Amino acid sequence: MAEKAAAIDALRKVPNWINGQVAASDSDRYGDVFDSATGERCAQVVMSTEADVDAAVTAAQEAFVGWSRTPVLRRAKVMFKLRELIDRDRAEIAALIAQEHGKVLHDADGSIQRGLEVVDFACGIPHLIKGEYSDQVGTGVDTWSMRQPMGVCVGITPFNFPAMVPLWMFPLAIACGNSFILKPSEKDPSCALKWAELLHEAGLPPGVFNVVQGDHVAVNSLLADERVAAVSFVGSTPVAEHVYKTASANGKRVQALGGAKNHLVVLPDADMDQVADALVGAGYGSAGERCMAISAVVTVGDSAEPLLEKLLPRIAALKVGPGMDNSNDMGPLITAEHRDKVRSYIDLGEEEGATLVVDGRKHEITKSPGYFLGPTLFDHVTSDMRVYQEEIFGPVLTITRTGTFDEAIDLVNAHEYGNGTAIFTRDGDAAREFANGIQVGMVGINVPIPVPLAFHSFGGWKRSLFGGSSIYGMEGVRFYTRLKTITSRWPTGIRAGADFSMPTM
Ligand code: NAD
Protein backbone atom coordinates (compact mmCIF):
# COMPACT_ATOMS: atom_id res chain seq x y z
CA MET A 1 0.00 0.00 0.00
CA ALA A 2 2.76 2.45 1.02
CA GLU A 3 4.70 1.34 -2.05
CA LYS A 4 1.73 2.14 -4.28
CA ALA A 5 1.26 5.60 -2.70
CA ALA A 6 4.94 6.34 -3.21
CA ALA A 7 4.69 5.30 -6.86
CA ILE A 8 1.74 7.58 -7.44
CA ASP A 9 3.46 10.44 -5.70
CA ALA A 10 6.51 10.02 -7.92
CA LEU A 11 4.40 10.37 -11.04
CA ARG A 12 5.05 13.22 -13.43
CA LYS A 13 2.88 16.21 -12.50
CA VAL A 14 1.19 18.29 -15.20
CA PRO A 15 1.11 21.85 -13.89
CA ASN A 16 -0.36 25.21 -14.85
CA TRP A 17 1.52 27.76 -16.94
CA ILE A 18 0.94 31.34 -15.93
CA ASN A 19 2.79 34.51 -16.90
CA GLY A 20 5.46 32.78 -18.95
CA GLN A 21 6.35 29.99 -16.56
CA VAL A 22 5.22 26.85 -14.81
CA ALA A 23 3.04 27.95 -11.91
CA ALA A 24 2.66 26.30 -8.52
CA SER A 25 -0.85 25.72 -7.21
CA ASP A 26 -2.25 25.34 -3.70
CA SER A 27 -4.74 22.80 -4.98
CA ASP A 28 -5.05 19.58 -3.04
CA ARG A 29 -6.83 17.90 -5.94
CA TYR A 30 -4.99 16.00 -8.66
CA GLY A 31 -6.49 13.99 -11.50
CA ASP A 32 -4.95 10.79 -12.82
CA VAL A 33 -3.83 10.66 -16.42
CA PHE A 34 -3.65 7.20 -17.95
CA ASP A 35 -1.69 5.56 -20.69
CA SER A 36 -4.77 4.34 -22.53
CA ALA A 37 -2.95 1.45 -24.23
CA THR A 38 -1.74 -0.08 -20.95
CA GLY A 39 -4.22 1.26 -18.41
CA GLU A 40 -1.35 2.51 -16.25
CA ARG A 41 -1.26 5.90 -14.61
CA CYS A 42 1.35 7.98 -16.42
CA ALA A 43 0.89 11.42 -14.82
CA GLN A 44 -1.19 13.48 -12.46
CA VAL A 45 -2.73 16.78 -13.47
CA VAL A 46 -3.39 19.62 -11.07
CA MET A 47 -7.06 20.48 -10.62
CA SER A 48 -6.85 24.26 -10.51
CA THR A 49 -8.55 26.34 -7.86
CA GLU A 50 -10.32 29.67 -8.18
CA ALA A 51 -7.08 31.32 -7.01
CA ASP A 52 -5.18 29.71 -9.93
CA VAL A 53 -7.77 31.02 -12.37
CA ASP A 54 -7.56 34.45 -10.81
CA ALA A 55 -3.76 34.47 -11.23
CA ALA A 56 -4.05 33.42 -14.88
CA VAL A 57 -6.69 36.05 -15.70
CA THR A 58 -4.64 38.74 -13.95
CA ALA A 59 -1.54 37.80 -15.95
CA ALA A 60 -3.54 37.68 -19.19
CA GLN A 61 -5.19 41.02 -18.54
CA GLU A 62 -1.86 42.72 -17.84
CA ALA A 63 -0.19 41.16 -20.87
CA PHE A 64 -3.06 42.21 -23.12
CA VAL A 65 -2.17 45.88 -22.75
CA GLY A 66 1.22 45.54 -24.44
CA TRP A 67 0.40 42.68 -26.78
CA SER A 68 -2.66 44.34 -28.29
CA ARG A 69 -0.47 47.35 -29.16
CA THR A 70 2.33 45.21 -30.62
CA PRO A 71 2.64 45.79 -34.38
CA VAL A 72 0.80 43.13 -36.31
CA LEU A 73 3.91 42.10 -38.25
CA ARG A 74 5.65 41.26 -34.99
CA ARG A 75 2.66 39.23 -33.87
CA ALA A 76 2.79 37.38 -37.19
CA LYS A 77 6.49 36.66 -36.66
CA VAL A 78 5.67 34.73 -33.48
CA MET A 79 3.28 32.61 -35.53
CA PHE A 80 5.92 31.94 -38.20
CA LYS A 81 8.32 30.83 -35.48
CA LEU A 82 5.64 28.73 -33.76
CA ARG A 83 4.94 26.81 -36.97
CA GLU A 84 8.65 26.06 -37.32
CA LEU A 85 8.85 24.82 -33.70
CA ILE A 86 5.74 22.63 -33.93
CA ASP A 87 7.17 21.09 -37.07
CA ARG A 88 10.48 20.50 -35.26
CA ASP A 89 8.78 18.74 -32.32
CA ARG A 90 5.88 17.04 -34.05
CA ALA A 91 7.17 13.50 -33.44
CA GLU A 92 7.39 14.23 -29.72
CA ILE A 93 3.90 15.79 -29.69
CA ALA A 94 2.46 12.84 -31.64
CA ALA A 95 3.94 10.46 -29.04
CA LEU A 96 2.32 12.47 -26.21
CA ILE A 97 -1.04 12.19 -27.97
CA ALA A 98 -0.55 8.48 -28.65
CA GLN A 99 0.21 7.84 -25.00
CA GLU A 100 -2.46 9.93 -23.28
CA HIS A 101 -5.23 9.86 -25.87
CA GLY A 102 -4.50 6.57 -27.63
CA LYS A 103 -4.48 7.74 -31.25
CA VAL A 104 -2.15 5.78 -33.49
CA LEU A 105 0.97 7.83 -34.28
CA HIS A 106 0.09 8.43 -37.95
CA ASP A 107 -3.36 9.67 -36.94
CA ALA A 108 -1.91 11.84 -34.15
CA ASP A 109 0.49 13.35 -36.67
CA GLY A 110 -2.41 14.06 -39.04
CA SER A 111 -4.23 15.91 -36.26
CA ILE A 112 -1.12 18.03 -35.61
CA GLN A 113 -0.97 18.83 -39.32
CA ARG A 114 -4.60 20.02 -39.34
CA GLY A 115 -3.85 22.26 -36.36
CA LEU A 116 -0.63 23.51 -37.90
CA GLU A 117 -2.61 24.69 -40.90
CA VAL A 118 -4.43 27.14 -38.61
CA VAL A 119 -1.02 28.47 -37.52
CA ASP A 120 -0.18 28.88 -41.24
CA PHE A 121 -3.40 30.84 -41.65
CA ALA A 122 -2.64 32.98 -38.60
CA CYS A 123 0.74 33.89 -40.16
CA GLY A 124 -1.29 35.93 -42.65
CA ILE A 125 -2.84 38.07 -39.90
CA PRO A 126 -1.56 41.42 -41.32
CA HIS A 127 -3.72 40.79 -44.35
CA LEU A 128 -6.62 39.14 -42.52
CA ILE A 129 -7.12 41.89 -39.99
CA LYS A 130 -6.73 44.92 -42.19
CA GLY A 131 -9.80 47.10 -42.27
CA GLU A 132 -11.82 48.90 -44.90
CA TYR A 133 -11.63 52.52 -45.96
CA SER A 134 -14.09 54.74 -47.80
CA ASP A 135 -12.83 58.09 -48.98
CA GLN A 136 -15.19 61.07 -49.23
CA VAL A 137 -18.40 59.43 -47.99
CA GLY A 138 -19.61 63.03 -47.64
CA THR A 139 -17.91 66.27 -48.49
CA GLY A 140 -14.62 66.16 -46.59
CA VAL A 141 -15.78 63.09 -44.67
CA ASP A 142 -13.96 59.74 -44.65
CA THR A 143 -14.98 56.47 -42.99
CA TRP A 144 -12.84 53.48 -42.09
CA SER A 145 -13.28 50.38 -40.04
CA MET A 146 -10.81 48.29 -38.13
CA ARG A 147 -10.85 45.09 -36.11
CA GLN A 148 -9.54 45.35 -32.57
CA PRO A 149 -8.82 42.44 -30.21
CA MET A 150 -11.39 41.45 -27.59
CA GLY A 151 -9.12 41.21 -24.53
CA VAL A 152 -8.70 38.08 -22.42
CA CYS A 153 -9.96 35.07 -24.39
CA VAL A 154 -10.51 31.59 -23.00
CA GLY A 155 -10.41 28.22 -24.78
CA ILE A 156 -11.93 25.11 -23.18
CA THR A 157 -11.11 21.96 -25.09
CA PRO A 158 -12.14 18.27 -25.21
CA PHE A 159 -10.03 15.14 -24.79
CA ASN A 160 -10.28 13.85 -28.32
CA PHE A 161 -7.96 16.33 -30.05
CA PRO A 162 -5.43 17.61 -27.50
CA ALA A 163 -3.36 19.19 -30.29
CA MET A 164 -5.75 20.13 -33.05
CA VAL A 165 -8.63 21.73 -31.16
CA PRO A 166 -6.49 24.13 -29.06
CA LEU A 167 -4.71 25.01 -32.33
CA TRP A 168 -8.12 25.88 -33.81
CA MET A 169 -8.30 28.62 -31.18
CA PHE A 170 -5.17 30.19 -29.73
CA PRO A 171 -3.08 30.95 -32.85
CA LEU A 172 -5.80 33.20 -34.28
CA ALA A 173 -6.77 34.67 -30.92
CA ILE A 174 -3.16 35.62 -30.19
CA ALA A 175 -2.37 36.80 -33.72
CA CYS A 176 -5.42 39.08 -33.47
CA GLY A 177 -3.81 40.73 -30.42
CA ASN A 178 -5.67 38.99 -27.57
CA SER A 179 -4.24 37.22 -24.57
CA PHE A 180 -5.40 33.64 -24.07
CA ILE A 181 -6.07 31.09 -21.33
CA LEU A 182 -6.32 27.45 -22.35
CA LYS A 183 -8.22 25.00 -20.13
CA PRO A 184 -7.46 21.65 -21.77
CA SER A 185 -9.14 18.34 -21.01
CA GLU A 186 -7.96 16.83 -17.74
CA LYS A 187 -7.78 13.45 -19.48
CA ASP A 188 -4.85 14.34 -21.76
CA PRO A 189 -3.42 17.60 -20.44
CA SER A 190 0.27 17.40 -21.44
CA CYS A 191 0.03 18.87 -24.94
CA ALA A 192 -1.18 22.17 -23.49
CA LEU A 193 2.14 22.60 -21.65
CA LYS A 194 3.94 21.92 -24.89
CA TRP A 195 2.07 24.80 -26.59
CA ALA A 196 3.06 27.07 -23.71
CA GLU A 197 6.74 26.11 -24.00
CA LEU A 198 6.81 26.50 -27.78
CA LEU A 199 5.07 29.88 -27.72
CA HIS A 200 7.55 31.02 -25.07
CA GLU A 201 10.43 29.84 -27.25
CA ALA A 202 8.84 31.61 -30.23
CA GLY A 203 9.17 34.91 -28.35
CA LEU A 204 5.62 35.43 -27.09
CA PRO A 205 5.69 37.81 -24.09
CA PRO A 206 4.78 36.32 -20.67
CA GLY A 207 1.10 36.31 -19.83
CA VAL A 208 -0.18 36.33 -23.41
CA PHE A 209 -0.70 32.56 -23.32
CA ASN A 210 -1.56 30.73 -20.10
CA VAL A 211 -2.68 27.23 -19.23
CA VAL A 212 -5.07 26.45 -16.41
CA GLN A 213 -5.48 22.73 -15.89
CA GLY A 214 -8.47 21.12 -14.24
CA ASP A 215 -12.16 20.40 -14.44
CA HIS A 216 -15.50 22.18 -14.02
CA VAL A 217 -14.14 24.21 -11.06
CA ALA A 218 -11.64 25.96 -13.34
CA VAL A 219 -14.18 26.26 -16.16
CA ASN A 220 -16.91 27.77 -14.02
CA SER A 221 -14.47 30.16 -12.43
CA LEU A 222 -13.32 31.35 -15.88
CA LEU A 223 -16.93 31.78 -17.01
CA ALA A 224 -17.71 33.88 -13.94
CA ASP A 225 -14.68 36.18 -14.24
CA GLU A 226 -15.81 39.54 -15.54
CA ARG A 227 -12.36 40.25 -17.03
CA VAL A 228 -12.80 37.43 -19.56
CA ALA A 229 -14.14 38.84 -22.84
CA ALA A 230 -14.64 35.78 -25.04
CA VAL A 231 -14.97 32.04 -24.60
CA SER A 232 -14.39 29.31 -27.20
CA PHE A 233 -15.62 25.90 -26.11
CA VAL A 234 -15.43 22.53 -27.83
CA GLY A 235 -16.85 19.44 -26.13
CA SER A 236 -20.04 17.51 -25.51
CA THR A 237 -23.43 19.10 -26.12
CA PRO A 238 -24.66 19.27 -22.49
CA VAL A 239 -21.48 21.06 -21.39
CA ALA A 240 -21.49 23.26 -24.52
CA GLU A 241 -25.01 24.37 -23.67
CA HIS A 242 -24.03 25.09 -20.06
CA VAL A 243 -20.96 27.08 -21.15
CA TYR A 244 -22.93 28.97 -23.77
CA LYS A 245 -25.73 29.94 -21.38
CA THR A 246 -23.43 30.86 -18.49
CA ALA A 247 -20.88 32.80 -20.52
CA SER A 248 -23.60 34.65 -22.45
CA ALA A 249 -25.44 35.54 -19.25
CA ASN A 250 -22.16 36.93 -17.94
CA GLY A 251 -21.87 39.20 -20.96
CA LYS A 252 -19.16 37.32 -22.84
CA ARG A 253 -18.91 36.54 -26.53
CA VAL A 254 -19.13 32.77 -26.80
CA GLN A 255 -18.89 30.02 -29.38
CA ALA A 256 -19.62 26.54 -28.07
CA LEU A 257 -19.18 23.57 -30.37
CA GLY A 258 -20.92 20.42 -29.18
CA GLY A 259 -21.44 16.77 -29.98
CA ALA A 260 -22.46 15.01 -33.15
CA LYS A 261 -24.08 12.11 -34.93
CA ASN A 262 -22.77 12.20 -38.46
CA HIS A 263 -24.67 10.36 -41.17
CA LEU A 264 -23.24 8.94 -44.37
CA VAL A 265 -25.92 8.44 -47.00
CA VAL A 266 -25.23 5.72 -49.57
CA LEU A 267 -27.12 5.81 -52.86
CA PRO A 268 -27.35 2.58 -54.88
CA ASP A 269 -25.18 4.01 -57.70
CA ALA A 270 -22.19 4.66 -55.38
CA ASP A 271 -18.91 2.81 -55.83
CA MET A 272 -19.25 0.39 -52.90
CA ASP A 273 -15.49 -0.22 -52.63
CA GLN A 274 -15.01 3.50 -52.13
CA VAL A 275 -17.87 3.68 -49.62
CA ALA A 276 -16.50 0.75 -47.61
CA ASP A 277 -12.99 2.24 -47.56
CA ALA A 278 -14.43 5.59 -46.47
CA LEU A 279 -16.52 3.97 -43.74
CA VAL A 280 -13.80 1.95 -42.03
CA GLY A 281 -11.59 5.05 -41.87
CA ALA A 282 -14.31 7.54 -40.88
CA GLY A 283 -16.13 5.19 -38.52
CA TYR A 284 -13.27 3.47 -36.73
CA GLY A 285 -10.31 5.84 -37.17
CA SER A 286 -9.26 7.32 -33.82
CA ALA A 287 -11.53 4.64 -32.27
CA GLY A 288 -14.55 6.69 -33.34
CA GLU A 289 -13.55 9.47 -30.94
CA ARG A 290 -13.90 12.24 -33.51
CA CYS A 291 -16.67 14.80 -33.61
CA MET A 292 -16.67 14.31 -37.40
CA ALA A 293 -16.57 10.51 -37.26
CA ILE A 294 -19.26 8.81 -39.29
CA SER A 295 -21.42 6.92 -36.83
CA ALA A 296 -24.69 6.43 -38.73
CA VAL A 297 -24.80 4.91 -42.21
CA VAL A 298 -28.05 5.46 -44.11
CA THR A 299 -28.54 3.15 -47.06
CA VAL A 300 -31.03 4.02 -49.79
CA GLY A 301 -32.94 1.43 -51.82
CA ASP A 302 -31.01 -1.79 -52.27
CA SER A 303 -27.57 -0.44 -51.34
CA ALA A 304 -27.28 -2.18 -47.94
CA GLU A 305 -26.42 -5.71 -49.13
CA PRO A 306 -23.70 -4.77 -51.65
CA LEU A 307 -22.24 -2.41 -49.06
CA LEU A 308 -22.14 -5.07 -46.34
CA GLU A 309 -20.39 -7.44 -48.73
CA LYS A 310 -17.56 -4.92 -49.14
CA LEU A 311 -17.55 -3.60 -45.59
CA LEU A 312 -17.34 -6.79 -43.54
CA PRO A 313 -13.96 -8.03 -44.85
CA ARG A 314 -12.51 -4.58 -44.27
CA ILE A 315 -13.73 -4.51 -40.67
CA ALA A 316 -12.28 -7.98 -40.12
CA ALA A 317 -8.92 -6.78 -41.45
CA LEU A 318 -8.71 -3.74 -39.16
CA LYS A 319 -5.64 -3.83 -36.96
CA VAL A 320 -6.42 -2.71 -33.42
CA GLY A 321 -3.64 -2.09 -30.90
CA PRO A 322 -1.50 0.47 -29.08
CA GLY A 323 -1.18 3.91 -30.64
CA MET A 324 2.61 3.78 -30.38
CA ASP A 325 2.64 0.97 -32.96
CA ASN A 326 2.27 2.81 -36.24
CA SER A 327 1.12 -0.30 -38.08
CA ASN A 328 -2.20 -0.24 -36.20
CA ASP A 329 -5.34 1.29 -37.69
CA MET A 330 -7.15 1.95 -34.45
CA GLY A 331 -6.03 2.45 -30.86
CA PRO A 332 -7.73 2.25 -27.46
CA LEU A 333 -10.42 4.51 -26.01
CA ILE A 334 -9.45 7.31 -23.68
CA THR A 335 -10.36 5.84 -20.27
CA ALA A 336 -11.82 2.70 -18.76
CA GLU A 337 -14.95 4.67 -17.89
CA HIS A 338 -15.43 5.79 -21.49
CA ARG A 339 -14.72 2.30 -22.84
CA ASP A 340 -17.39 0.91 -20.49
CA LYS A 341 -19.87 3.57 -21.59
CA VAL A 342 -19.34 2.68 -25.25
CA ARG A 343 -19.65 -1.02 -24.39
CA SER A 344 -22.93 -0.33 -22.63
CA TYR A 345 -24.28 1.13 -25.88
CA ILE A 346 -23.51 -2.19 -27.59
CA ASP A 347 -25.53 -3.95 -24.87
CA LEU A 348 -28.29 -1.39 -25.40
CA GLY A 349 -28.37 -1.85 -29.18
CA GLU A 350 -28.97 -5.55 -28.69
CA GLU A 351 -31.74 -4.87 -26.16
CA GLU A 352 -33.35 -2.40 -28.54
CA GLY A 353 -33.53 -5.07 -31.25
CA ALA A 354 -30.83 -3.92 -33.69
CA THR A 355 -28.92 -6.67 -35.51
CA LEU A 356 -25.40 -6.93 -34.12
CA VAL A 357 -23.27 -7.85 -37.14
CA VAL A 358 -19.81 -7.29 -35.67
CA ASP A 359 -19.37 -7.35 -31.88
CA GLY A 360 -16.39 -5.32 -30.66
CA ARG A 361 -16.83 -6.67 -27.11
CA LYS A 362 -15.58 -10.03 -28.34
CA HIS A 363 -12.52 -8.72 -30.19
CA GLU A 364 -9.24 -10.42 -29.22
CA ILE A 365 -7.73 -7.05 -28.26
CA THR A 366 -10.18 -6.64 -25.37
CA LYS A 367 -8.09 -9.23 -23.47
CA SER A 368 -5.23 -6.67 -23.39
CA PRO A 369 -4.90 -4.44 -20.34
CA GLY A 370 -5.57 -1.08 -22.14
CA TYR A 371 -8.97 0.48 -22.81
CA PHE A 372 -9.65 -1.42 -26.03
CA LEU A 373 -12.83 -2.24 -27.80
CA GLY A 374 -13.07 -3.80 -31.25
CA PRO A 375 -14.94 -2.27 -34.19
CA THR A 376 -18.69 -2.84 -33.90
CA LEU A 377 -21.42 -2.81 -36.54
CA PHE A 378 -25.19 -2.77 -36.08
CA ASP A 379 -27.65 -3.25 -38.94
CA HIS A 380 -31.43 -2.61 -39.06
CA VAL A 381 -31.16 0.30 -36.65
CA THR A 382 -34.26 2.46 -36.51
CA SER A 383 -34.63 6.13 -35.64
CA ASP A 384 -36.46 5.41 -32.38
CA MET A 385 -33.47 3.54 -30.92
CA ARG A 386 -31.12 5.31 -28.51
CA VAL A 387 -28.10 3.85 -30.32
CA TYR A 388 -29.25 5.90 -33.31
CA GLN A 389 -30.27 9.02 -31.44
CA GLU A 390 -27.35 9.46 -29.04
CA GLU A 391 -23.69 10.19 -29.61
CA ILE A 392 -21.73 7.04 -28.70
CA PHE A 393 -18.25 8.43 -29.42
CA GLY A 394 -16.61 5.07 -29.95
CA PRO A 395 -15.97 2.50 -32.69
CA VAL A 396 -19.65 1.70 -33.25
CA LEU A 397 -21.29 2.09 -36.67
CA THR A 398 -25.01 1.71 -37.21
CA ILE A 399 -26.84 1.06 -40.48
CA THR A 400 -30.32 2.41 -41.00
CA ARG A 401 -32.06 1.24 -44.18
CA THR A 402 -34.33 3.66 -46.05
CA GLY A 403 -36.44 3.17 -49.17
CA THR A 404 -35.90 6.49 -50.92
CA PHE A 405 -33.50 9.41 -51.15
CA ASP A 406 -36.14 11.76 -49.66
CA GLU A 407 -36.58 9.43 -46.69
CA ALA A 408 -32.81 9.52 -46.12
CA ILE A 409 -32.74 13.33 -46.23
CA ASP A 410 -35.70 13.56 -43.82
CA LEU A 411 -33.94 11.20 -41.42
CA VAL A 412 -30.74 13.28 -41.34
CA ASN A 413 -32.68 16.53 -41.02
CA ALA A 414 -34.79 15.23 -38.13
CA HIS A 415 -31.71 14.42 -36.03
CA GLU A 416 -30.93 16.84 -33.20
CA TYR A 417 -27.25 17.06 -34.19
CA GLY A 418 -26.02 18.74 -37.34
CA ASN A 419 -22.24 18.69 -37.31
CA GLY A 420 -21.14 16.80 -40.43
CA THR A 421 -22.68 14.52 -43.04
CA ALA A 422 -21.71 12.90 -46.32
CA ILE A 423 -23.32 11.44 -49.39
CA PHE A 424 -21.76 8.83 -51.66
CA THR A 425 -23.15 8.78 -55.19
CA ARG A 426 -22.25 9.26 -58.86
CA ASP A 427 -25.42 11.31 -59.39
CA GLY A 428 -24.59 15.02 -59.54
CA ASP A 429 -28.22 16.13 -59.26
CA ALA A 430 -28.77 14.08 -56.12
CA ALA A 431 -25.54 15.38 -54.60
CA ARG A 432 -26.50 18.96 -55.37
CA GLU A 433 -29.95 18.51 -53.85
CA PHE A 434 -28.36 16.93 -50.78
CA ALA A 435 -25.86 19.79 -50.35
CA ASN A 436 -28.61 22.39 -50.61
CA GLY A 437 -31.33 20.74 -48.57
CA ILE A 438 -29.48 19.07 -45.75
CA GLN A 439 -29.69 20.71 -42.30
CA VAL A 440 -26.05 20.14 -41.36
CA GLY A 441 -23.08 22.53 -41.11
CA MET A 442 -20.42 20.56 -42.97
CA VAL A 443 -21.25 18.38 -45.97
CA GLY A 444 -19.09 15.91 -47.88
CA ILE A 445 -19.85 14.73 -51.40
CA ASN A 446 -17.94 11.46 -51.74
CA VAL A 447 -15.78 12.80 -48.88
CA PRO A 448 -16.53 11.04 -45.57
CA ILE A 449 -15.02 13.55 -43.09
CA PRO A 450 -15.49 17.00 -44.58
CA VAL A 451 -13.42 18.99 -42.05
CA PRO A 452 -12.92 22.38 -43.72
CA LEU A 453 -9.35 23.56 -44.26
CA ALA A 454 -7.94 26.38 -42.15
CA PHE A 455 -8.94 29.12 -44.58
CA HIS A 456 -12.60 28.06 -44.38
CA SER A 457 -14.39 27.70 -41.03
CA PHE A 458 -15.56 24.74 -38.96
CA GLY A 459 -18.98 24.55 -37.33
CA GLY A 460 -22.14 22.53 -37.13
CA TRP A 461 -25.83 23.38 -36.99
CA LYS A 462 -28.59 22.60 -34.51
CA ARG A 463 -27.36 21.17 -31.17
CA SER A 464 -23.81 20.83 -32.49
CA LEU A 465 -23.08 24.56 -32.19
CA PHE A 466 -24.27 27.19 -29.75
CA GLY A 467 -23.52 30.83 -30.38
CA GLY A 468 -23.64 31.04 -34.14
CA SER A 469 -19.96 31.60 -34.80
CA SER A 470 -17.95 28.83 -36.43
CA ILE A 471 -14.35 28.33 -35.47
CA TYR A 472 -11.08 29.31 -37.32
CA GLY A 473 -10.86 30.81 -40.82
CA MET A 474 -12.37 34.27 -41.27
CA GLU A 475 -15.11 33.41 -38.75
CA GLY A 476 -12.30 32.99 -36.23
CA VAL A 477 -10.79 36.37 -37.06
CA ARG A 478 -14.20 37.95 -36.61
CA PHE A 479 -14.84 36.07 -33.36
CA TYR A 480 -11.58 37.20 -31.77
CA THR A 481 -11.95 40.86 -32.80
CA ARG A 482 -14.55 43.56 -32.57
CA LEU A 483 -15.33 45.97 -35.31
CA LYS A 484 -14.79 49.67 -34.87
CA THR A 485 -15.89 52.13 -37.55
CA ILE A 486 -14.57 55.67 -37.55
CA THR A 487 -16.05 58.61 -39.43
CA SER A 488 -13.89 61.71 -39.60
CA ARG A 489 -13.72 65.18 -41.03
CA TRP A 490 -11.35 68.05 -40.48
CA PRO A 491 -12.10 71.68 -39.51
CA THR A 492 -12.32 72.99 -43.08
CA GLY A 493 -15.15 70.56 -43.85
CA ILE A 494 -17.31 71.44 -40.80
CA ARG A 495 -20.24 73.82 -41.42
CA ALA A 496 -20.99 76.42 -38.73
CA GLY A 497 -23.92 75.83 -36.31
CA ALA A 498 -25.55 72.87 -34.63
CA ASP A 499 -27.51 70.31 -36.65
CA PHE A 500 -30.50 68.67 -34.94
CA SER A 501 -31.66 66.40 -37.72
CA MET A 502 -30.36 62.88 -38.42
CA PRO A 503 -27.02 63.34 -40.20
CA THR A 504 -27.19 62.56 -43.92
CA MET A 505 -24.52 63.01 -46.53
P1 NAD B 1 -16.66 17.25 -22.31
O1 NAD B 1 -17.81 18.12 -22.64
O2 NAD B 1 -16.82 16.24 -21.25
O3 NAD B 1 -15.40 18.15 -21.86
C1 NAD B 1 -15.00 19.27 -22.62
C2 NAD B 1 -14.35 20.28 -21.68
O4 NAD B 1 -15.32 20.75 -20.73
C3 NAD B 1 -13.19 19.70 -20.88
O5 NAD B 1 -12.16 20.66 -20.83
C4 NAD B 1 -13.80 19.43 -19.51
O6 NAD B 1 -12.88 19.56 -18.46
C5 NAD B 1 -14.87 20.50 -19.40
N1 NAD B 1 -16.04 20.07 -18.62
C6 NAD B 1 -16.54 18.80 -18.53
N2 NAD B 1 -17.64 18.79 -17.75
C7 NAD B 1 -17.85 20.06 -17.35
C8 NAD B 1 -18.85 20.69 -16.55
N3 NAD B 1 -19.83 19.99 -15.99
N4 NAD B 1 -18.77 22.01 -16.33
C9 NAD B 1 -17.78 22.74 -16.90
N5 NAD B 1 -16.81 22.20 -17.68
C10 NAD B 1 -16.85 20.88 -17.91
O7 NAD B 1 -16.18 16.60 -23.69
P2 NAD B 1 -15.10 15.47 -23.90
O8 NAD B 1 -15.65 14.19 -23.41
O9 NAD B 1 -13.79 15.92 -23.42
O10 NAD B 1 -15.01 15.46 -25.50
C11 NAD B 1 -15.85 14.70 -26.32
C12 NAD B 1 -17.01 15.51 -26.82
O11 NAD B 1 -16.54 16.65 -27.53
C13 NAD B 1 -17.88 14.76 -27.81
O12 NAD B 1 -19.21 15.05 -27.52
C14 NAD B 1 -17.48 15.35 -29.16
O13 NAD B 1 -18.47 15.27 -30.16
C15 NAD B 1 -17.21 16.75 -28.79
N6 NAD B 1 -16.36 17.41 -29.76
C16 NAD B 1 -16.93 18.32 -30.59
C17 NAD B 1 -16.18 18.93 -31.55
C18 NAD B 1 -16.79 19.93 -32.49
O14 NAD B 1 -16.03 20.58 -33.20
N7 NAD B 1 -18.09 20.09 -32.53
C19 NAD B 1 -14.81 18.64 -31.66
C20 NAD B 1 -14.25 17.72 -30.78
C21 NAD B 1 -15.05 17.11 -29.83
Side-chain angles (χ1 to χ4, degrees), residues 157-160 183 186 216 233-236 258-259 291 391 393 458:
T157 53
F159 78 78
N160 67 321
K183 206 305 282 171
E186 63 276 35
H216 64 280
F233 172 91
V234 176
S236 63
C291 64
E391 181 181 43
F393 218 56
F458 181 110

Side-chain angles (χ1 to χ4, degrees), residues 263 383 388 408-417 438-439 462:
H263 298 74
S383 60
Y388 171 76
I409 288 194
D410 289 347
L411 188 76
V412 180
N413 285 348
H415 205 284
E416 65 169 331
Y417 294 121
I438 212 74
Q439 304 283 307
K462 299 188 273 187

